[in-house]
Amino acid sequence: MRFSDKFTFSFDVDPTITTRDINIPSMLFQPYVENSIWHGILPMEQPGKIEVSISAVNSDSIKISIFDNGIGIDTSMKQKGEQPNDHISVGMQITKNRLELYQQINNKEASVIGPFEVKENGNTIGTKVEFILPLLEGSEQ
């Protein structure tokens, strides 16, 4: 709310997905959305945007994508004097650990891809991270 003039937010769900039947582990995306705001959007002069989309991968899994049109990972790291692979967010590491535990408990594969820079015509247009999560049956969720 305190950054309401700094960015817009959109949430797009594939209409073929019945959201009431999907449970997503709590706080799974928070570190990534927070990084989009702090490291991607806030350093920009103009307002940015964050887009979250949920789509079906197949009948057994969904993909959740978080995209921001911020300054990108490389620029953010250069501004801080770090190399892109020097720093791993504690929140992102905790999320990866939680996904591993989620896989063990449910005996289903889940993954996080990224975050990675999105480029268009060789220019960075933002950062994206994708989650592939299984759809669990009934009480497994």
Side-chain angles (χ1 to χ4, degrees):
M1 289 184 345
R2 70 183 162 159
F3 301 126
S4 62
D5 62 332
K6 195 63 176 154
F7 66 92
T8 59
F9 182 85
S10 68
F11 199 82
D12 182 49
V13 180
D14 181 335
T16 65
I17 296 174
T18 307
T19 56
R20 72 175 175 272
D21 296 334
I22 297 174
N23 288 326
I24 296 174
S26 62
M27 301 299 286
L28 190 63
F29 311 116
Q30 183 272 339
Y32 296 93
V33 173
E34 186 175 313
N35 279 355
S36 288
I37 295 168
W38 286 108
H39 305 294
I41 302 294
L42 291 181
M44 296 189 332
E45 297 285 327
Q46 71 278 7
K49 66 180 174 183
I50 297 173
E51 301 169 349
V52 177
S53 63
I54 301 174
S55 58
V57 173
N58 54 43
S59 62
D60 297 330
S61 60
I62 59 172
K63 176 171 67 174
I64 301 168
S65 300
I66 302 167
F67 170 78
D68 71 69
N69 71 335
I71 63 173
I73 297 168
D74 291 343
T75 300
S76 177
M77 293 298 185
K78 285 177 188 169
Q79 288 180 355
K80 294 178 198 143
E82 300 174 4
Q83 293 299 313
N85 294 324
D86 284 353
H87 174 75
I88 298 175
S89 161
V90 172
M92 287 193 271
Q93 186 59 51
I94 289 169
T95 298
K96 287 181 182 184
N97 294 344
R98 292 182 75 214
L99 275 178
E100 290 172 11
L101 182 60
Y102 181 80
Q103 290 181 101
Q104 291 172 6
I105 290 170
N106 295 299
N107 200 26
K108 303 254 184 180
E109 189 162 334
S111 61
V112 60
I113 304 159
F116 55 90
E117 283 198 344
V118 179
K119 295 188 182 267
E120 189 174 272
N121 299 323
N123 298 315
T124 299
I125 61 167
T127 302
K128 189 174 198 177
V129 63
E130 298 176 331
F131 295 83
I132 307 296
L133 299 174
L135 294 175
L136 304 176
E137 296 177 17
S139 62
E140 289 181 284
Q141 295 183 359

